[in-house]
Amino acid sequence: MTFDIFPTLEQEVRLSPPERLVTLVAACEPNQIGRFNVREVAYQPPTGVIPRQGKEETLVFTSSVVRAQTDSMSRVMVFVGIKKKYLTKIPESLNGWSCPRGTPMQVIKVQHGLPTLKLSFLNS
């Protein structure tokens, strides 16, 4: 798989000032690309419906090309530009970052991941 764009190096992300735009990668199904670069509008449920109480959805990114390739097997890699101030380091993760869904970001590129290898067993 060839890359013409790369994520920002992990050390650079960590040391970047809050307003710096960094490039990270997320893996997702092709029909989920709309989760990125979407500014959420407050949802108003119809009258009589009780809104669900739950955790806010977070988007997970990586600064590692190897991790991006592994996570995107038979899926797509979404390269995004996002300001460092919106990112939270994922504890105990070498290259993982997260932000809430609806965070302002720019989709730079979408690239297909590696195909999953399918093993076949032959009867001898």
Side-chain angles (χ1 to χ4, degrees), residues 4 11 14 25-26 46 67 80 84 89-90 97 117 121:
D4 57 357
Q11 185 171 345
R14 287 179 192 256
V25 186
R67 183 80 223 180
V80 300
K84 164 75 180 316
K89 181 70 180 143
I90 297 175
W97 295 87
L117 297 175
F121 297 96

Side-chain angles (χ1 to χ4, degrees), residues 73-90:
M73 289 280 199
S74 294
R75 299 174 10 163
V76 294
M77 290 183 287
V78 180
F79 292 79
V80 300
I82 184 170
K83 287 187 178 180
K84 164 75 180 316
K85 69 181 179 182
Y86 297 119
L87 297 170
T88 302
K89 181 70 180 143
I90 297 175

Side-chain angles (χ1 to χ4, degrees), residues 50-96:
I50 300 170
R52 287 188 293 164
Q53 299 295 324
K55 292 180 82 173
E56 181 179 289
E57 182 185 357
T58 58
L59 302 175
V60 177
F61 303 95
T62 185
S63 62
S64 166
V65 171
V66 173
R67 183 80 223 180
Q69 287 178 318
T70 302
D71 290 349
S72 65
M73 289 280 199
S74 294
R75 299 174 10 163
V76 294
M77 290 183 287
V78 180
F79 292 79
V80 300
I82 184 170
K83 287 187 178 180
K84 164 75 180 316
K85 69 181 179 182
Y86 297 119
L87 297 170
T88 302
K89 181 70 180 143
I90 297 175
E92 300 178 19
S93 172
L94 293 176
N95 305 97

